[in-house]
Amino acid sequence: MPVTLNDLETAVRAAIQVTHMDVEDKSDGCGNSYFVLIVSKEFEGKTTLARHRMVNEALKEQLPEIHAFTQKTLTPQQWEDAQKGSNGA
């Protein structure tokens, strides 16, 4: 059974306190390729590798079923700064 957007979001939210999350199916609906953006205070003070390990651990049951998985993990401050930058501020 293919992994769904809801499967990914539910698993991440169960393991990590998320303040913002976007999940995109990049495989045209077949569930083989996903991009996730996760914003969490739990990422503060952690390296990108440590953050990605946290997400990978949260998704340890789903990842073997996915062909391609890309993640971007930000702190709330990084997310706020990115939003200001994308709005031309």
Side-chain angles (χ1 to χ4, degrees):
M1 176 181 248
V3 175
T4 67
L5 297 169
N6 190 54
D7 293 336
L8 295 176
E9 186 165 355
T10 299
V12 169
R13 287 185 183 277
I16 299 170
Q17 293 178 347
V18 174
T19 57
H20 178 84
M21 184 171 181
D22 291 327
V23 182
E24 294 179 47
D25 184 343
K26 300 299 229 176
S27 61
D28 297 323
C30 73
N32 282 324
S33 179
Y34 288 99
F35 169 79
V36 297
L37 166 69
I38 303 167
V39 180
S40 175
K41 285 185 175 186
E42 291 184 48
F43 296 148
E44 291 176 358
K46 292 185 172 48
T47 64
T48 300
L49 180 60
R51 295 172 186 189
H52 286 197
R53 285 181 174 160
M54 288 173 65
V55 174
N56 291 348
E57 179 63 24
L59 297 174
K60 65 184 173 189
E61 292 180 20
Q62 292 78 16
L63 288 179
E65 306 298 321
I66 299 172
H67 175 72
F69 179 74
T70 304
Q71 59 181 297
K72 185 167 189 170
T73 53
L74 301 173
T75 65
Q77 184 62 53
Q78 289 171 320
W79 173 244
E80 183 179 317
D81 293 346
Q83 293 302 299
K84 287 178 185 174
S86 68
N87 292 330

